[in-house]
Structures are given as structure tokens and as C-alpha cells.
Amino acid sequence: MTLKSQNSRTLWLDYLKSFITVLVVAHHASLAYTTFAWFDSSAYINSTTPIVDPQRWIGMDVFENYNDIFFMFLMFFIGGLFLVKSIEKKGVLYFVRDRIKRLFIPFLFLGTVLMLFSYFPAYYLAHRSTNISDYVIDFFTIENWPPGPPWFIGVLFFFNLIMGLLYPFIKEKLNRGSDKVSFFTNRPVSVFAVLFCITFILYVPIAYYIGAGKWISFGPLDFQLSRLPAYFGYFVLGAVVGSSDFDAHIFSYSSRFVVQWKHYFIFSLILYSALTYHNVTDILGRFVDNGVMPEFSAWMIYYALYVGTCRAACMAFIGFFKTIVKHSNKLWNSLSENAYLIYLLHYFFVIWAQFLLMRYEIHALGKFSIVFLFSLTASWTAAICLRKINIVKRYL
């Protein structure tokens, strides 16, 4: 079989996207077992995660933090890759209507229903109550209508809406940008440098002045404020690259961008190690305390390592999947076809599994493994069953 899937999408990108979905499931499965996890019983939505288990392991910190640095940036980039081709094929009005059906309606209605079922264990742990009406009131008022992981789908919808409505006015600029993509085919260092600067400019100033962890919500729409401009930038960047013949140029098999994926993966681990194992924050903190450098400079060094890790990891995973995906695989096809529903469904299984395992004295790694495998299998199975319903298969 060719490297194009039946719907003419690029197979290796579909597999990459489904792999990131698996990482998302693993990411949420790990959060209950990190050493930094904490629970706020006055409003569980303020907690690091809805379920915090007594069993902790620092290995979960390393895994979770590495994922968090890059995988949502990469998801928004992939989300923009087929934007222009989709608009050109469907027209602006049909494109917007399609995104409402495929993104906004599942986000608003299915996401809300699923989160109502998902967050109940957190409410129970906070209040030791099983009163459903009180829980629902608390969900929409005290917890402020938490969207859970579907926040990504809500933000992605609005990015699509903005770009769809602006497309007639920015079409030429996107085309001019896409013409320059092939220039970077055999210039991976230039790619890294340019994208490092873009990411640094879009992310660091906001993260520095307001804090990297600040979230903003409007009804069910919830997003990490410091990352929003960078996420939109990656989405637009995906649209620019997607307007070009990227599979034959910058992401071709012979492209140094692709060939050197191992170098970027190792580089990402080196930079990430500087942020974690070498405890760079303590070293920089001592420099600041001793007057060796100003606090601002210390923060810029920290963020430079952070942004570098993000960029190197994104480039590594793109190159890796372009390299390894030679043929279609039945199991991975199923994963790819059901990835959207797996993303929507998995949180219910993750939280309830973490909740039910709290009473057992099992090492954190063991609990994580059980939660991850169960949640992935259960959400995958549920997705396959739901997609046998025609209307679900059509839009999800």
C-alpha cells in the first residue's frame, strides 16, 4: 500500500498524530503519580490533577514534564498542515460549517457530558458526598465548567474559524510563505534557529510576565494563556508548510531535516536534562542570590533551554515518523481512525481507574501502567463501537 491513506491524507502524519494521542493518554495517566501533584479540596479544578495518589515516583515527573514541553505544540502544528488544502477543496463557508460539526459541537456537548461523568471522583474526594445535584451545581459554578482534555478541540476550532474567515484576505501571503519552505529542506540548523526564535518570541515574554501556568476560561473554553500565542503561531506555521509540497521537500526522505532526526532527539534530551537532572533552576538561583547575574538573565537562560527542548523534540518526532512509516499497518490504521474519539473518551477511564486504584499499595509505576493500558484499551474499544454508528463515524 502507498504512503497515502484512503482519504488522501499523509499516512505518516496520521500515525504521528495518533501516536501523540497515545502520549496524551499516558500523560494524563501519569499525573496522579508525580511527586509535585497536589489536591485542592475547596475547588478540585485548581489541583494539578483531579486524582492525587499517595504513591508517587519521580520517574513520572520526568516523563510528564518532557511530554508537556512539546506535544501540544506539535499537535497544533499538525492541526494546521491540511488547513489550506481543506479550505481550497470545500470553500470557506462549507469549511467553517464542517469545523462546527467536527470540532465545536463535539467539544461543547460531548465534551461537557463526558467531563460531567469524568470529574465525579474528584468531587467525591473533595466533599465525601455523592449528591448528584450538588455535584452538577459545583461543576458549573465552583469548578467553572471544566472542559478537561477537550480544551484542545475548543481552541483548535477557534483557530480554524479565524484562519477560515481570514483566508480570502491572507491567501497570497500564505502562498508566498509556502514558496520559501523548500529553501529549508537541507538546512536543519536554519530551521531550528528560525523556529527557536519564533517560539521564544511568542511564548517567553508572556510566560515571564504573567507566569507559565496561568489558565484562562470562558465558559467551557479553557486554555493556558502563556501558550496561546505560540499555539496559534504553530497552527499558522502548519498552514504555511501545508500549502507547500512538504512531503517532497522539507519532509522528504532525503531532507536533512528528516535524516538527522536522531540528532535532534538526542539534543532534546540533553537540553531537557539541563532543565531536570542537572537542576539548572537551583544553579541559576544561586547565581542570582550571589549577584553573579540578574534574575532576568537567569530566567532567559531557563526559557532558552525550555524552548530549545520543545523545538528539538518536535523536529525529532516529525523526522522519526517520516522515516519509519514505510507501509500501512492494520493495527495502527485502527488507532489512527479512532484517535479523535480516543482523545475525547480517555479521560473518563483515566480518572475512574486512578480513583479505584487509590486504595491499593502498588508502586506508582505499576499503577500508571494499569491506568494507561486500561484507559487506552477501553477508550479505543469504545471508539470502535461508537464509530459503527453512521453519524458518529461521519463526524468523529
Side-chain angles (χ1 to χ4, degrees), residues 41-75:
S41 60
S42 62
Y44 60 78
I45 199 61
N46 295 327
S47 309
T48 55
T49 183
I51 302 296
V52 176
D53 196 280
Q55 300 295 323
R56 314 288 185 85
W57 182 47
I58 196 170
M60 293 291 95
D61 298 26
V62 175
F63 171 76
E64 185 275 337
N65 286 333
Y66 182 76
N67 282 341
D68 185 65
I69 286 175
F70 84 94
F71 69 166
M72 296 314 298
F73 291 88
L74 187 52
M75 280 285 272

mmCIF file of all heavy atoms in Angstrom, residues 41-75:
data_model
loop_
_atom_site.group_PDB
_atom_site.id
_atom_site.type_symbol
_atom_site.label_atom_id
_atom_site.label_comp_id
_atom_site.label_asym_id
_atom_site.label_seq_id
_atom_site.Cartn_x
_atom_site.Cartn_y
_atom_site.Cartn_z
ATOM 1 N N SER A 41 -9.062 20.668 47.879
ATOM 2 C CA SER A 41 -10.407 20.186 48.171
ATOM 3 C C SER A 41 -11.464 21.289 48.090
ATOM 4 O O SER A 41 -12.656 21.008 47.963
ATOM 5 C CB SER A 41 -10.449 19.545 49.560
ATOM 6 O OG SER A 41 -10.072 20.481 50.557
ATOM 7 N N SER A 42 -11.051 22.551 48.140
ATOM 8 C CA SER A 42 -12.031 23.641 48.038
ATOM 9 C C SER A 42 -12.505 23.833 46.604
ATOM 10 O O SER A 42 -13.622 24.276 46.346
ATOM 11 C CB SER A 42 -11.428 24.946 48.565
ATOM 12 O OG SER A 42 -10.308 25.341 47.784
ATOM 13 N N ALA A 43 -11.648 23.506 45.650
ATOM 14 C CA ALA A 43 -12.004 23.557 44.228
ATOM 15 C C ALA A 43 -11.034 22.630 43.509
ATOM 16 O O ALA A 43 -9.904 23.013 43.218
ATOM 17 C CB ALA A 43 -11.913 24.971 43.684
ATOM 18 N N TYR A 44 -11.490 21.438 43.226
ATOM 19 C CA TYR A 44 -10.579 20.430 42.694
ATOM 20 C C TYR A 44 -9.988 20.820 41.342
ATOM 21 O O TYR A 44 -8.935 20.319 40.951
ATOM 22 C CB TYR A 44 -11.255 19.057 42.600
ATOM 23 C CG TYR A 44 -12.482 19.004 41.705
ATOM 24 C CD1 TYR A 44 -12.382 18.956 40.317
ATOM 25 C CD2 TYR A 44 -13.756 18.956 42.279
ATOM 26 C CE1 TYR A 44 -13.504 18.892 39.509
ATOM 27 C CE2 TYR A 44 -14.887 18.888 41.476
ATOM 28 C CZ TYR A 44 -14.760 18.853 40.092
ATOM 29 O OH TYR A 44 -15.882 18.781 39.299
ATOM 30 N N ILE A 45 -10.631 21.746 40.646
ATOM 31 C CA ILE A 45 -10.114 22.164 39.351
ATOM 32 C C ILE A 45 -8.799 22.924 39.490
ATOM 33 O O ILE A 45 -8.018 23.035 38.537
ATOM 34 C CB ILE A 45 -11.162 23.031 38.603
ATOM 35 C CG1 ILE A 45 -10.839 23.086 37.099
ATOM 36 C CG2 ILE A 45 -11.221 24.423 39.190
ATOM 37 C CD1 ILE A 45 -10.848 21.755 36.404
ATOM 38 N N ASN A 46 -8.520 23.448 40.678
ATOM 39 C CA ASN A 46 -7.258 24.140 40.929
ATOM 40 C C ASN A 46 -6.102 23.177 41.215
ATOM 41 O O ASN A 46 -4.954 23.604 41.320
ATOM 42 C CB ASN A 46 -7.399 25.106 42.107
ATOM 43 C CG ASN A 46 -8.362 26.239 41.798
ATOM 44 O OD1 ASN A 46 -8.468 26.680 40.657
ATOM 45 N ND2 ASN A 46 -9.061 26.726 42.815
ATOM 46 N N SER A 47 -6.425 21.902 41.368
ATOM 47 C CA SER A 47 -5.404 20.895 41.640
ATOM 48 C C SER A 47 -4.551 20.655 40.403
ATOM 49 O O SER A 47 -4.940 20.993 39.284
ATOM 50 C CB SER A 47 -6.071 19.579 42.074
ATOM 51 O OG SER A 47 -6.999 19.786 43.127
ATOM 52 N N THR A 48 -3.410 20.033 40.602
ATOM 53 C CA THR A 48 -2.586 19.679 39.449
ATOM 54 C C THR A 48 -3.258 18.605 38.604
ATOM 55 O O THR A 48 -3.009 18.503 37.397
ATOM 56 C CB THR A 48 -1.211 19.164 39.900
ATOM 57 O OG1 THR A 48 -1.397 18.065 40.817
ATOM 58 C CG2 THR A 48 -0.415 20.262 40.576
ATOM 59 N N THR A 49 -4.121 17.813 39.221
ATOM 60 C CA THR A 49 -4.836 16.737 38.546
ATOM 61 C C THR A 49 -6.023 16.335 39.420
ATOM 62 O O THR A 49 -5.965 16.508 40.645
ATOM 63 C CB THR A 49 -3.899 15.532 38.311
ATOM 64 O OG1 THR A 49 -4.592 14.519 37.582
ATOM 65 C CG2 THR A 49 -3.383 14.967 39.608
ATOM 66 N N PRO A 50 -7.104 15.836 38.843
ATOM 67 C CA PRO A 50 -8.291 15.516 39.643
ATOM 68 C C PRO A 50 -8.067 14.438 40.693
ATOM 69 O O PRO A 50 -8.734 14.436 41.728
ATOM 70 C CB PRO A 50 -9.308 15.041 38.589
ATOM 71 C CG PRO A 50 -8.872 15.674 37.320
ATOM 72 C CD PRO A 50 -7.379 15.711 37.392
ATOM 73 N N ILE A 51 -7.168 13.503 40.450
ATOM 74 C CA ILE A 51 -6.863 12.439 41.403
ATOM 75 C C ILE A 51 -5.381 12.498 41.749
ATOM 76 O O ILE A 51 -4.527 12.521 40.855
ATOM 77 C CB ILE A 51 -7.187 11.041 40.819
ATOM 78 C CG1 ILE A 51 -8.658 10.954 40.405
ATOM 79 C CG2 ILE A 51 -6.846 9.953 41.834
ATOM 80 C CD1 ILE A 51 -9.645 11.087 41.547
ATOM 81 N N VAL A 52 -5.094 12.549 43.050
ATOM 82 C CA VAL A 52 -3.707 12.545 43.516
ATOM 83 C C VAL A 52 -3.523 11.321 44.401
ATOM 84 O O VAL A 52 -4.142 11.207 45.460
ATOM 85 C CB VAL A 52 -3.360 13.827 44.298
ATOM 86 C CG1 VAL A 52 -1.941 13.744 44.847
ATOM 87 C CG2 VAL A 52 -3.521 15.051 43.407
ATOM 88 N N ASP A 53 -2.702 10.401 43.963
ATOM 89 C CA ASP A 53 -2.495 9.126 44.660
ATOM 90 C C ASP A 53 -1.383 9.248 45.696
ATOM 91 O O ASP A 53 -0.416 9.995 45.472
ATOM 92 C CB ASP A 53 -2.146 8.042 43.633
ATOM 93 C CG ASP A 53 -2.290 6.643 44.199
ATOM 94 O OD1 ASP A 53 -1.374 6.191 44.921
ATOM 95 O OD2 ASP A 53 -3.315 5.996 43.903
ATOM 96 N N PRO A 54 -1.479 8.532 46.800
ATOM 97 C CA PRO A 54 -0.374 8.553 47.788
ATOM 98 C C PRO A 54 0.930 8.001 47.225
ATOM 99 O O PRO A 54 2.016 8.365 47.692
ATOM 100 C CB PRO A 54 -0.896 7.657 48.917
ATOM 101 C CG PRO A 54 -2.384 7.639 48.756
ATOM 102 C CD PRO A 54 -2.633 7.749 47.292
ATOM 103 N N GLN A 55 0.842 7.109 46.255
ATOM 104 C CA GLN A 55 2.039 6.532 45.651
ATOM 105 C C GLN A 55 2.605 7.500 44.605
ATOM 106 O O GLN A 55 1.914 7.876 43.665
ATOM 107 C CB GLN A 55 1.704 5.191 44.995
ATOM 108 C CG GLN A 55 1.162 4.146 45.956
ATOM 109 C CD GLN A 55 2.186 3.722 46.988
ATOM 110 O OE1 GLN A 55 3.382 3.621 46.685
ATOM 111 N NE2 GLN A 55 1.739 3.472 48.209
ATOM 112 N N ARG A 56 3.858 7.879 44.781
ATOM 113 C CA ARG A 56 4.499 8.823 43.850
ATOM 114 C C ARG A 56 5.832 8.253 43.380
ATOM 115 O O ARG A 56 6.446 7.425 44.063
ATOM 116 C CB ARG A 56 4.774 10.166 44.535
ATOM 117 C CG ARG A 56 3.615 10.735 45.355
ATOM 118 C CD ARG A 56 2.491 11.236 44.489
ATOM 119 N NE ARG A 56 1.474 11.873 45.314
ATOM 120 C CZ ARG A 56 1.518 13.150 45.697
ATOM 121 N NH1 ARG A 56 2.524 13.920 45.308
ATOM 122 N NH2 ARG A 56 0.563 13.650 46.459
ATOM 123 N N TRP A 57 6.271 8.726 42.226
ATOM 124 C CA TRP A 57 7.582 8.316 41.715
ATOM 125 C C TRP A 57 8.122 9.420 40.831
ATOM 126 O O TRP A 57 7.417 9.927 39.951
ATOM 127 C CB TRP A 57 7.466 7.011 40.925
ATOM 128 C CG TRP A 57 8.777 6.503 40.399
ATOM 129 C CD1 TRP A 57 9.950 6.390 41.077
ATOM 130 C CD2 TRP A 57 9.035 6.038 39.067
ATOM 131 N NE1 TRP A 57 10.933 5.884 40.259
ATOM 132 C CE2 TRP A 57 10.393 5.657 39.018
ATOM 133 C CE3 TRP A 57 8.251 5.907 37.927
ATOM 134 C CZ2 TRP A 57 10.982 5.168 37.858
ATOM 135 C CZ3 TRP A 57 8.839 5.406 36.776
ATOM 136 C CH2 TRP A 57 10.187 5.036 36.744
ATOM 137 N N ILE A 58 9.372 9.805 41.040
ATOM 138 C CA ILE A 58 9.958 10.910 40.296
ATOM 139 C C ILE A 58 10.078 10.596 38.799
ATOM 140 O O ILE A 58 10.126 11.506 37.961
ATOM 141 C CB ILE A 58 11.338 11.291 40.884
ATOM 142 C CG1 ILE A 58 11.766 12.674 40.364
ATOM 143 C CG2 ILE A 58 12.377 10.217 40.558
ATOM 144 C CD1 ILE A 58 12.971 13.244 41.066
ATOM 145 N N GLY A 59 10.100 9.333 38.448
ATOM 146 C CA GLY A 59 10.122 8.961 37.037
ATOM 147 C C GLY A 59 8.909 9.475 36.289
ATOM 148 O O GLY A 59 8.988 9.796 35.098
ATOM 149 N N MET A 60 7.788 9.572 37.004
ATOM 150 C CA MET A 60 6.579 10.129 36.396
ATOM 151 C C MET A 60 6.760 11.622 36.113
ATOM 152 O O MET A 60 6.239 12.140 35.125
ATOM 153 C CB MET A 60 5.379 9.918 37.315
ATOM 154 C CG MET A 60 4.962 8.462 37.490
ATOM 155 S SD MET A 60 4.255 7.710 35.997
ATOM 156 C CE MET A 60 5.694 6.915 35.271
ATOM 157 N N ASP A 61 7.514 12.311 36.982
ATOM 158 C CA ASP A 61 7.810 13.728 36.747
ATOM 159 C C ASP A 61 8.589 13.903 35.448
ATOM 160 O O ASP A 61 8.272 14.772 34.628
ATOM 161 C CB ASP A 61 8.650 14.299 37.892
ATOM 162 C CG ASP A 61 7.964 14.250 39.235
ATOM 163 O OD1 ASP A 61 7.098 13.377 39.434
ATOM 164 O OD2 ASP A 61 8.300 15.084 40.088
ATOM 165 N N VAL A 62 9.622 13.067 35.287
ATOM 166 C CA VAL A 62 10.484 13.179 34.111
ATOM 167 C C VAL A 62 9.683 12.936 32.836
ATOM 168 O O VAL A 62 9.786 13.694 31.863
ATOM 169 C CB VAL A 62 11.656 12.180 34.209
ATOM 170 C CG1 VAL A 62 12.497 12.204 32.934
ATOM 171 C CG2 VAL A 62 12.518 12.493 35.433
ATOM 172 N N PHE A 63 8.874 11.884 32.843
ATOM 173 C CA PHE A 63 8.061 11.543 31.676
ATOM 174 C C PHE A 63 7.027 12.618 31.377
ATOM 175 O O PHE A 63 6.902 13.093 30.242
ATOM 176 C CB PHE A 63 7.364 10.197 31.919
ATOM 177 C CG PHE A 63 6.333 9.844 30.880
ATOM 178 C CD1 PHE A 63 6.725 9.402 29.635
ATOM 179 C CD2 PHE A 63 4.980 9.969 31.162
ATOM 180 C CE1 PHE A 63 5.770 9.074 28.666
ATOM 181 C CE2 PHE A 63 4.024 9.643 30.209
ATOM 182 C CZ PHE A 63 4.422 9.192 28.952
ATOM 183 N N GLU A 64 6.298 13.027 32.387
ATOM 184 C CA GLU A 64 5.218 14.006 32.202
ATOM 185 C C GLU A 64 5.753 15.351 31.741
ATOM 186 O O GLU A 64 5.192 15.977 30.833
ATOM 187 C CB GLU A 64 4.429 14.148 33.513
ATOM 188 C CG GLU A 64 3.210 15.041 33.434
ATOM 189 C CD GLU A 64 3.541 16.510 33.635
ATOM 190 O OE1 GLU A 64 4.587 16.804 34.260
ATOM 191 O OE2 GLU A 64 2.752 17.361 33.165
ATOM 192 N N ASN A 65 6.831 15.812 32.344
ATOM 193 C CA ASN A 65 7.359 17.133 32.008
ATOM 194 C C ASN A 65 7.929 17.181 30.593
ATOM 195 O O ASN A 65 7.780 18.185 29.894
ATOM 196 C CB ASN A 65 8.440 17.541 33.020
ATOM 197 C CG ASN A 65 7.838 17.927 34.359
ATOM 198 O OD1 ASN A 65 6.711 18.371 34.432
ATOM 199 N ND2 ASN A 65 8.601 17.744 35.421
ATOM 200 N N TYR A 66 8.575 16.097 30.157
ATOM 201 C CA TYR A 66 9.111 16.071 28.793
ATOM 202 C C TYR A 66 7.970 16.153 27.781
ATOM 203 O O TYR A 66 8.040 16.916 26.806
ATOM 204 C CB TYR A 66 9.923 14.800 28.564
ATOM 205 C CG TYR A 66 10.557 14.733 27.187
ATOM 206 C CD1 TYR A 66 11.690 15.482 26.880
ATOM 207 C CD2 TYR A 66 10.020 13.919 26.187
ATOM 208 C CE1 TYR A 66 12.270 15.430 25.623
ATOM 209 C CE2 TYR A 66 10.591 13.858 24.931
ATOM 210 C CZ TYR A 66 11.718 14.608 24.649
ATOM 211 O OH TYR A 66 12.283 14.553 23.405
ATOM 212 N N ASN A 67 6.910 15.373 28.004
ATOM 213 C CA ASN A 67 5.746 15.445 27.120
ATOM 214 C C ASN A 67 5.185 16.855 27.072
ATOM 215 O O ASN A 67 4.877 17.395 25.997
ATOM 216 C CB ASN A 67 4.644 14.498 27.608
ATOM 217 C CG ASN A 67 4.914 13.056 27.254
ATOM 218 O OD1 ASN A 67 5.714 12.761 26.376
ATOM 219 N ND2 ASN A 67 4.261 12.154 27.950
ATOM 220 N N ASP A 68 5.024 17.443 28.238
ATOM 221 C CA ASP A 68 4.357 18.738 28.341
ATOM 222 C C ASP A 68 5.091 19.833 27.581
ATOM 223 O O ASP A 68 4.475 20.783 27.102
ATOM 224 C CB ASP A 68 4.231 19.121 29.818
ATOM 225 C CG ASP A 68 3.439 20.404 30.016
ATOM 226 O OD1 ASP A 68 2.238 20.408 29.698
ATOM 227 O OD2 ASP A 68 4.033 21.401 30.459
ATOM 228 N N ILE A 69 6.388 19.687 27.450
ATOM 229 C CA ILE A 69 7.178 20.717 26.785
ATOM 230 C C ILE A 69 6.868 20.808 25.294
ATOM 231 O O ILE A 69 6.892 21.894 24.714
ATOM 232 C CB ILE A 69 8.685 20.464 27.012
ATOM 233 C CG1 ILE A 69 9.064 20.826 28.458
ATOM 234 C CG2 ILE A 69 9.535 21.266 26.042
ATOM 235 C CD1 ILE A 69 10.501 20.507 28.819
ATOM 236 N N PHE A 70 6.555 19.671 24.664
ATOM 237 C CA PHE A 70 6.484 19.721 23.193
ATOM 238 C C PHE A 70 5.193 19.224 22.566
ATOM 239 O O PHE A 70 4.808 19.703 21.487
ATOM 240 C CB PHE A 70 7.645 18.898 22.606
ATOM 241 C CG PHE A 70 7.375 17.424 22.507
ATOM 242 C CD1 PHE A 70 6.873 16.870 21.336
ATOM 243 C CD2 PHE A 70 7.632 16.581 23.584
ATOM 244 C CE1 PHE A 70 6.624 15.507 21.245
ATOM 245 C CE2 PHE A 70 7.381 15.220 23.496
ATOM 246 C CZ PHE A 70 6.881 14.686 22.324
ATOM 247 N N PHE A 71 4.457 18.280 23.192
ATOM 248 C CA PHE A 71 3.486 17.552 22.379
ATOM 249 C C PHE A 71 2.259 18.356 21.957
ATOM 250 O O PHE A 71 1.711 18.133 20.870
ATOM 251 C CB PHE A 71 3.108 16.196 22.985
ATOM 252 C CG PHE A 71 2.295 16.208 24.246
ATOM 253 C CD1 PHE A 71 1.688 15.036 24.675
ATOM 254 C CD2 PHE A 71 2.135 17.332 25.009
ATOM 255 C CE1 PHE A 71 0.923 15.005 25.830
ATOM 256 C CE2 PHE A 71 1.384 17.313 26.173
ATOM 257 C CZ PHE A 71 0.781 16.150 26.588
ATOM 258 N N MET A 72 1.820 19.336 22.734
ATOM 259 C CA MET A 72 0.679 20.134 22.293
ATOM 260 C C MET A 72 1.092 21.153 21.228
ATOM 261 O O MET A 72 0.307 21.482 20.331
ATOM 262 C CB MET A 72 0.029 20.836 23.479
ATOM 263 C CG MET A 72 -0.585 19.889 24.497
ATOM 264 S SD MET A 72 -1.580 18.548 23.787
ATOM 265 C CE MET A 72 -2.876 19.426 22.949
ATOM 266 N N PHE A 73 2.317 21.635 21.294
ATOM 267 C CA PHE A 73 2.836 22.490 20.221
ATOM 268 C C PHE A 73 2.803 21.722 18.894
ATOM 269 O O PHE A 73 2.373 22.251 17.862
ATOM 270 C CB PHE A 73 4.266 22.934 20.523
ATOM 271 C CG PHE A 73 4.387 23.894 21.673
ATOM 272 C CD1 PHE A 73 4.530 23.433 22.975
ATOM 273 C CD2 PHE A 73 4.362 25.263 21.450
ATOM 274 C CE1 PHE A 73 4.647 24.318 24.038
ATOM 275 C CE2 PHE A 73 4.487 26.160 22.503
ATOM 276 C CZ PHE A 73 4.621 25.688 23.797
ATOM 277 N N LEU A 74 3.260 20.481 18.947
ATOM 278 C CA LEU A 74 3.293 19.657 17.743
ATOM 279 C C LEU A 74 1.881 19.335 17.258
ATOM 280 O O LEU A 74 1.630 19.293 16.046
ATOM 281 C CB LEU A 74 4.073 18.369 18.022
ATOM 282 C CG LEU A 74 4.353 17.446 16.834
ATOM 283 C CD1 LEU A 74 4.998 18.194 15.678
ATOM 284 C CD2 LEU A 74 5.232 16.274 17.273
ATOM 285 N N MET A 75 0.958 19.131 18.180
ATOM 286 C CA MET A 75 -0.431 18.851 17.791
ATOM 287 C C MET A 75 -1.047 20.030 17.045
ATOM 288 O O MET A 75 -1.762 19.847 16.049
ATOM 289 C CB MET A 75 -1.258 18.518 19.024
ATOM 290 C CG MET A 75 -1.090 17.100 19.518
ATOM 291 S SD MET A 75 -1.940 15.873 18.480
ATOM 292 C CE MET A 75 -3.562 15.879 19.243
#
